[in-house]
Structure formats: structure tokens, C-alpha cells
Amino acid sequence: RMQLEESGGGSVQAGGSLNLMCSASGDAFSPYCVAWFRQAPGKEREAVVSIEVNGRPNYAYAVKGRFTAYRDDPTKTLHLQMNALKPEDTAVYYCAAKGLRCSEDSGEYRTWGQGTQVTVSS
């Protein structure tokens, strides 16, 4: 059974950058869709980016052009480079995995990391 663990969160001023990483252990990584979600206080969990088995990312409109995600199947890691951060990017960021095609619906993901806090100050 796959387990996921995020790292790299922290605090940064608006306009700054952070790089998140998600490390997988257990099951093979390559057959799964992998994704980053985030959840701000009082808000629902939302998709940030999902990456299909073929490596194709699908970004949320709010982060397109600022965030870059990629998967590295041999090392079983998922990466998220976040640039030009805004206060509204403040949230707990989670990585997640599911079989078959990717989805923006967090309820379809069976495997989750514990989350890492990202705080962007103005």
C-alpha cells in the first residue's frame, strides 16, 4: 500500500517562491495519477494540479503560469515549484494518488499525505 509524505512548506512573502516535494513509499508510483490539493481555513479542499501517468499536468486556473509540477517515477517523487506566491495561496498542501485517470474531485483519491503548511504574507 502506497504512503505519501510532503515536505518543503514554510512561510514566504508575497512574490516569493517555495518548492514542495511529495515522496512515495510502498506500492509502485508509476501506475497512478498523482496530484496536489490545498485547503485553506474555512474552505473546501481544491485541486492545484494533477499529473497523469504519461506526465501531462493539468493546472487549476488560479495557479497556471505560476506553479510548475512534475513527477519523477524512478525516485517516486512529485514536485511542485511555486513562484510569484500570493497571500491567497496560503493553505495546507496535500499530495494524493489515485488509479486510472486524474480527477479534480478530492473524493476520488484514495491515498493522501499528511499535508504541509504554506503561508504567504502580504
Side-chain angles (χ1 to χ4, degrees):
R1 184 172 175 271
M2 184 188 296
Q3 294 183 311
L4 301 174
E5 182 175 5
E6 304 91 342
S7 59
S11 298
V12 65
Q13 289 191 325
S17 298
L18 283 173
N19 189 11
L20 305 184
M21 185 173 74
C22 174
S23 299
S25 60
D27 284 352
F29 191 65
S30 56
Y32 293 91
C33 158
V34 288
W36 287 100
F37 285 80
R38 66 186 182 185
Q39 188 165 19
K43 294 189 176 181
E44 293 188 354
R45 193 168 296 190
E46 63 177 3
V48 175
V49 58
S50 60
I51 305 180
E52 300 282 3
V53 170
N54 64 10
R56 182 177 62 86
N58 182 29
Y59 295 96
Y61 179 80
V63 306
K64 198 171 291 187
R66 299 188 297 122
F67 290 11
T68 302
Y70 68 94
R71 60 188 296 163
D72 186 349
D73 288 348
T75 62
K76 297 201 290 186
T77 54
L78 174 65
H79 301 263
L80 181 65
Q81 176 65 42
M82 305 185 293
N83 297 325
L85 283 161
K86 304 176 181 180
E88 51 264 44
D89 294 319
T90 296
V92 178
Y93 283 70
Y94 300 89
C95 62
K98 68 180 296 289
L100 302 177
R101 295 293 304 274
C102 287
S103 169
E104 294 182 350
D105 183 353
S106 62
E108 295 190 22
Y109 288 76
R110 300 286 299 274
T111 304
W112 292 86
Q114 82 288 349
T116 186
Q117 177 70 46
V118 170
T119 303
V120 185
S121 58
S122 57

